[in-house]
Amino acid sequence: MAMAAASVGGALGFLTPRRRSVSFAAPGGARRRPPLAVVRAASYEAGVGVMATKVGMMTYFDPSNGKPVPVTVVGFRDGGNVVTQVKTAATDGYDSVQVGYHGVREDKLTRPELGHLGKAGAPALRHLQEFRLVAVDAFDPGQELEFNELFKEGDLVDVSAKSIGKGFQGGIKRHNFKRGLMTHGSKSHRALGSIGAGTTPGRVYKGKKMPGRMGGKKTKIRKLKIVRIDNDLKVVMIKGAIPGKQGNLLRITPAKIVGKNIPKS
């Protein structure tokens, strides 16, 4: 458990709402200025979340029955999670809470970044992420978010992070294709095979599963159970595997459950 107390840095991630603009043509063929971009309704979180750092995996023995449970140990860097900005529909067009994580020296940030954090009374933090919520009345700039106050043992969480990059891989490893015969007469062992007819359609369809770069992209694992929260070591044990390698930045939010914290409509 002593190793679980150590944690290392991760990668920066931001959430930005998508924008869509539509152009119109006036009568007579003359083009006029398109209207203002419309912000799409982004997905709301089931509650505010936190950022953390992946420490590694271990086996945890349940004290109630003695059964082994595979868990991922999650730690927290110095500085913790601090609310750096509260956005409202009146000022920004939507309600969200911006959280900062991982304290660093001030010379590691730019002056605009230090000015932004200084308005909230927050220390120098490396990572900033937003959590879009239905209501933000309970949050104030400079407020510290404690994991054990937001979550408890037995809760389900959604964890998103950047997966491990595996480089350029073939179809068997990347898409679980079946290999060909390995006998002497076969000339196709791990080759991809046909990717389309020559005459019709005469091209390769977009989205065709082919060899290419694998991993190294943001992914989310949903409904993972919190097995234990150790306040002394400041670590959390989450059942199962979490994306990324040791030291990766994690985004932990309450699991979205339709009918419980997410409406069915």
Side-chain angles (χ1 to χ4, degrees):
M1 294 299 298
M3 298 178 60
S7 55
V8 287
L12 180 63
F14 292 92
L15 298 179
T16 55
R18 299 179 180 178
R19 296 180 178 270
R20 177 180 59 184
S21 59
V22 183
S23 60
F24 297 88
R31 297 184 61 85
R32 58 187 177 90
R33 181 179 296 177
L36 294 175
V38 178
V39 179
R40 292 183 177 179
S43 176
Y44 287 94
E45 299 288 355
V48 70
V50 296
M51 285 176 281
T53 303
K54 181 176 179 179
V55 178
M57 292 197 69
M58 60 174 289
T59 300
Y60 174 78
F61 291 90
D62 192 345
S64 61
N65 51 27
K67 292 184 178 180
V69 181
V71 297
T72 301
V73 181
V74 175
F76 299 92
R77 295 299 300 263
D78 294 337
N81 288 268
V82 182
V83 177
T84 56
Q85 186 179 6
V86 178
K87 296 186 177 182
T88 62
T91 57
D92 299 274
Y94 63 99
D95 296 327
S96 71
V97 175
Q98 186 186 84
V99 180
Y101 174 70
H102 187 181
V104 293
R105 299 196 312 268
E106 292 187 357
D107 58 355
K108 294 292 185 179
L109 303 179
T110 63
R111 288 189 177 182
E113 292 172 339
L114 292 175
H116 173 72
L117 296 172
K119 290 181 180 180
L125 299 171
R126 174 168 293 177
H127 307 295
L128 297 177
Q129 287 196 11
E130 282 189 9
F131 299 89
R132 185 161 182 173
L133 307 175
V134 177
V136 295
D137 300 334
F139 303 96
D140 297 313
Q143 176 183 351
E144 295 185 4
L145 301 178
E146 297 293 340
F147 189 90
N148 55 0
E149 296 178 358
L150 300 175
F151 303 93
K152 62 180 182 298
E153 295 180 358
D155 288 351
L156 299 180
V157 294
D158 294 341
V159 183
S160 60
K162 187 176 181 181
S163 62
I164 298 177
K166 302 182 184 301
F168 193 96
Q169 299 296 333
I172 293 179
K173 182 171 182 177
R174 192 183 186 202
H175 302 293
N176 297 320
F177 285 173
K178 183 180 178 181
R179 65 171 175 81
L181 298 176
M182 301 302 289
T183 52
H184 294 287
S186 173
K187 297 183 179 180
S188 176
H189 305 302
R190 298 177 65 92
L192 185 64
S194 175
I195 58 175
T199 304
T200 303
R203 60 185 178 87
V204 179
Y205 286 121
K206 290 184 178 180
K208 177 69 176 177
K209 294 182 178 179
M210 299 179 67
R213 294 194 63 176
M214 181 180 178
K217 60 182 180 180
K218 183 179 178 181
T219 182
K220 177 186 289 187
I221 306 297
R222 302 189 65 243
K223 298 182 180 180
L224 297 176
K225 182 180 179 180
I226 298 178
V227 176
R228 183 181 177 185
I229 300 177
D230 195 321
N231 296 322
D232 296 333
L233 294 176
K234 295 183 179 180
V235 297
V236 180
M237 299 180 186
I238 301 177
K239 183 178 180 180
I242 288 177
K245 57 184 179 180
Q246 295 181 6
N248 263 23
L249 178 69
L250 306 177
R251 175 187 172 96
I252 305 176
T253 57
K256 296 181 180 180
I257 303 176
V258 178
K260 183 177 180 181
N261 50 29
I262 297 296
K264 294 182 180 180
S265 58

CSV table of all heavy atoms in Angstrom, one decimal, residues 14 51 71 73 80-81 121 132 136 139 155 160 167 169 178 195 205 207 221-222 238 241 249 265:
chain,number,residue,atom,x,y,z
A,14,PHE,N,-9.5,19.0,-22.3
A,14,PHE,CA,-10.6,20.0,-22.1
A,14,PHE,C,-11.8,19.5,-22.8
A,14,PHE,O,-11.8,18.8,-23.8
A,14,PHE,CB,-10.1,21.4,-22.8
A,14,PHE,CG,-9.0,22.0,-22.0
A,14,PHE,CD1,-7.7,21.8,-22.4
A,14,PHE,CD2,-9.3,22.9,-21.0
A,14,PHE,CE1,-6.7,22.4,-21.7
A,14,PHE,CE2,-8.3,23.5,-20.3
A,14,PHE,CZ,-7.0,23.3,-20.7
A,51,MET,N,-10.6,15.1,-10.9
A,51,MET,CA,-9.5,14.5,-11.6
A,51,MET,C,-8.5,13.8,-10.7
A,51,MET,O,-8.4,14.2,-9.5
A,51,MET,CB,-8.7,15.6,-12.4
A,51,MET,CG,-9.5,16.1,-13.6
A,51,MET,SD,-8.6,17.5,-14.4
A,51,MET,CE,-9.1,18.8,-13.3
A,71,VAL,N,-8.3,-4.5,-8.5
A,71,VAL,CA,-8.7,-3.1,-8.4
A,71,VAL,C,-7.6,-2.3,-9.0
A,71,VAL,O,-6.4,-2.7,-9.2
A,71,VAL,CB,-8.8,-2.7,-6.9
A,71,VAL,CG1,-10.0,-3.4,-6.3
A,71,VAL,CG2,-7.5,-2.9,-6.1
A,73,VAL,N,-5.6,1.3,-8.4
A,73,VAL,CA,-5.3,2.2,-7.4
A,73,VAL,C,-5.2,3.6,-8.0
A,73,VAL,O,-4.5,3.8,-9.0
A,73,VAL,CB,-4.1,1.9,-6.6
A,73,VAL,CG1,-3.8,2.9,-5.5
A,73,VAL,CG2,-4.2,0.5,-6.0
A,80,GLY,N,-4.7,19.0,-5.1
A,80,GLY,CA,-6.0,18.5,-5.1
A,80,GLY,C,-6.9,19.0,-6.2
A,80,GLY,O,-6.3,19.5,-7.3
A,81,ASN,N,-8.2,19.0,-6.1
A,81,ASN,CA,-9.1,19.5,-7.0
A,81,ASN,C,-9.8,20.8,-6.5
A,81,ASN,O,-10.4,20.8,-5.4
A,81,ASN,CB,-10.2,18.5,-7.3
A,81,ASN,CG,-9.7,17.3,-8.1
A,81,ASN,OD1,-9.8,17.3,-9.3
A,81,ASN,ND2,-9.2,16.3,-7.4
A,121,GLY,N,-8.7,32.7,-6.7
A,121,GLY,CA,-8.0,32.4,-5.4
A,121,GLY,C,-7.4,31.1,-5.4
A,121,GLY,O,-7.1,30.5,-4.3
A,132,ARG,N,-20.2,19.9,-16.9
A,132,ARG,CA,-21.5,20.5,-17.1
A,132,ARG,C,-22.6,20.0,-16.3
A,132,ARG,O,-22.9,18.8,-16.3
A,132,ARG,CB,-21.9,20.4,-18.6
A,132,ARG,CG,-23.1,21.2,-19.0
A,132,ARG,CD,-23.2,21.5,-20.5
A,132,ARG,NE,-24.3,22.3,-20.8
A,132,ARG,CZ,-24.6,22.7,-22.0
A,132,ARG,NH1,-23.7,22.5,-23.0
A,132,ARG,NH2,-25.7,23.5,-22.2
A,136,VAL,N,-25.5,24.9,-10.5
A,136,VAL,CA,-24.2,25.2,-10.0
A,136,VAL,C,-24.2,26.1,-8.8
A,136,VAL,O,-23.2,26.7,-8.4
A,136,VAL,CB,-23.3,25.8,-11.1
A,136,VAL,CG1,-23.1,24.8,-12.3
A,136,VAL,CG2,-24.0,27.1,-11.6
A,139,PHE,N,-21.6,25.7,-5.7
A,139,PHE,CA,-20.2,25.7,-5.9
A,139,PHE,C,-19.7,27.2,-6.0
A,139,PHE,O,-20.4,28.1,-6.5
A,139,PHE,CB,-19.8,25.0,-7.2
A,139,PHE,CG,-20.2,23.6,-7.2
A,139,PHE,CD1,-21.3,23.2,-7.8
A,139,PHE,CD2,-19.4,22.6,-6.6
A,139,PHE,CE1,-21.7,21.8,-7.8
A,139,PHE,CE2,-19.8,21.3,-6.6
A,139,PHE,CZ,-20.9,20.9,-7.2
A,155,ASP,N,-20.2,3.2,-4.5
A,155,ASP,CA,-20.8,4.0,-5.6
A,155,ASP,C,-20.2,3.6,-6.9
A,155,ASP,O,-19.1,3.0,-7.0
A,155,ASP,CB,-20.4,5.5,-5.4
A,155,ASP,CG,-21.3,6.1,-4.3
A,155,ASP,OD1,-22.2,5.4,-3.8
A,155,ASP,OD2,-20.9,7.3,-3.9
A,160,SER,N,-12.8,8.2,-17.5
A,160,SER,CA,-12.3,8.4,-18.8
A,160,SER,C,-10.9,8.9,-18.8
A,160,SER,O,-10.5,9.6,-17.8
A,160,SER,CB,-13.2,9.5,-19.5
A,160,SER,OG,-13.2,10.7,-18.8
A,167,GLY,N,0.7,1.8,-31.3
A,167,GLY,CA,1.4,2.0,-32.5
A,167,GLY,C,0.5,1.4,-33.7
A,167,GLY,O,-0.7,1.2,-33.6
A,169,GLN,N,-0.9,-1.3,-35.9
A,169,GLN,CA,-1.2,-2.7,-35.7
A,169,GLN,C,-2.0,-3.3,-36.9
A,169,GLN,O,-2.7,-2.5,-37.6
A,169,GLN,CB,-2.0,-2.9,-34.4
A,169,GLN,CG,-1.2,-2.5,-33.2
A,169,GLN,CD,0.1,-3.3,-32.9
A,169,GLN,OE1,0.1,-4.5,-33.3
A,169,GLN,NE2,1.0,-2.7,-32.3
A,178,LYS,N,-10.0,-12.9,-37.7
A,178,LYS,CA,-9.5,-14.3,-37.7
A,178,LYS,C,-8.4,-14.5,-38.7
A,178,LYS,O,-8.5,-14.0,-39.8
A,178,LYS,CB,-10.7,-15.3,-38.0
A,178,LYS,CG,-10.3,-16.7,-37.9
A,178,LYS,CD,-11.5,-17.6,-38.2
A,178,LYS,CE,-11.2,-19.1,-38.1
A,178,LYS,NZ,-12.3,-19.9,-38.5
A,195,ILE,N,-10.5,-6.0,-49.8
A,195,ILE,CA,-11.1,-4.8,-49.2
A,195,ILE,C,-12.2,-4.2,-50.1
A,195,ILE,O,-12.7,-3.1,-49.9
A,195,ILE,CB,-10.0,-3.7,-48.9
A,195,ILE,CG1,-9.2,-3.4,-50.2
A,195,ILE,CG2,-9.1,-4.3,-47.8
A,195,ILE,CD1,-8.2,-2.3,-49.9
A,205,TYR,N,-14.7,1.5,-49.2
A,205,TYR,CA,-15.7,2.2,-48.5
A,205,TYR,C,-15.1,2.9,-47.3
A,205,TYR,O,-14.1,2.4,-46.6
A,205,TYR,CB,-16.8,1.3,-48.0
A,205,TYR,CG,-17.8,0.8,-49.1
A,205,TYR,CD1,-17.9,-0.5,-49.4
A,205,TYR,CD2,-18.5,1.8,-49.8
A,205,TYR,CE1,-18.8,-0.9,-50.4
A,205,TYR,CE2,-19.4,1.4,-50.7
A,205,TYR,CZ,-19.5,0.0,-51.0
A,205,TYR,OH,-20.4,-0.4,-52.0
A,207,GLY,N,-14.6,4.0,-43.5
A,207,GLY,CA,-14.8,3.3,-42.3
A,207,GLY,C,-14.5,1.8,-42.4
A,207,GLY,O,-14.8,1.1,-41.4
A,221,ILE,N,-14.7,4.1,-19.4
A,221,ILE,CA,-15.2,2.9,-18.9
A,221,ILE,C,-16.3,3.2,-17.9
A,221,ILE,O,-16.1,4.0,-17.0
A,221,ILE,CB,-14.1,2.0,-18.2
A,221,ILE,CG1,-12.9,1.8,-19.1
A,221,ILE,CG2,-14.7,0.7,-17.7
A,221,ILE,CD1,-13.3,1.0,-20.3
A,222,ARG,N,-17.5,2.7,-18.1
A,222,ARG,CA,-18.7,3.1,-17.3
A,222,ARG,C,-19.0,2.1,-16.2
A,222,ARG,O,-18.7,0.9,-16.3
A,222,ARG,CB,-19.9,3.3,-18.3
A,222,ARG,CG,-19.7,4.3,-19.4
A,222,ARG,CD,-20.9,4.6,-20.1
A,222,ARG,NE,-21.9,5.2,-19.2
A,222,ARG,CZ,-23.1,4.7,-18.9
A,222,ARG,NH1,-23.4,3.5,-19.4
A,222,ARG,NH2,-23.9,5.3,-18.1
A,238,ILE,N,-10.6,1.2,-7.2
A,238,ILE,CA,-11.8,1.1,-8.1
A,238,ILE,C,-11.7,-0.3,-8.7
A,238,ILE,O,-10.7,-0.7,-9.3
A,238,ILE,CB,-11.8,2.2,-9.2
A,238,ILE,CG1,-11.9,3.5,-8.5
A,238,ILE,CG2,-13.0,2.0,-10.1
A,238,ILE,CD1,-11.9,4.7,-9.5
A,241,ALA,N,-10.3,-2.6,-14.5
A,241,ALA,CA,-9.2,-1.9,-15.2
A,241,ALA,C,-9.7,-0.5,-15.6
A,241,ALA,O,-10.9,-0.3,-16.0
A,241,ALA,CB,-8.8,-2.7,-16.4
A,249,LEU,N,-3.6,10.9,-16.5
A,249,LEU,CA,-4.7,11.8,-15.9
A,249,LEU,C,-6.0,11.1,-16.1
A,249,LEU,O,-6.4,10.7,-17.2
A,249,LEU,CB,-4.7,13.2,-16.5
A,249,LEU,CG,-5.7,14.1,-16.0
A,249,LEU,CD1,-5.4,14.6,-14.6
A,249,LEU,CD2,-5.8,15.4,-17.0
A,265,SER,N,-36.3,10.3,-20.8
A,265,SER,CA,-36.6,11.0,-22.0
A,265,SER,C,-35.4,11.7,-22.6
A,265,SER,O,-35.4,12.1,-23.7
A,265,SER,CB,-37.7,12.1,-21.8
A,265,SER,OG,-37.3,13.0,-20.8
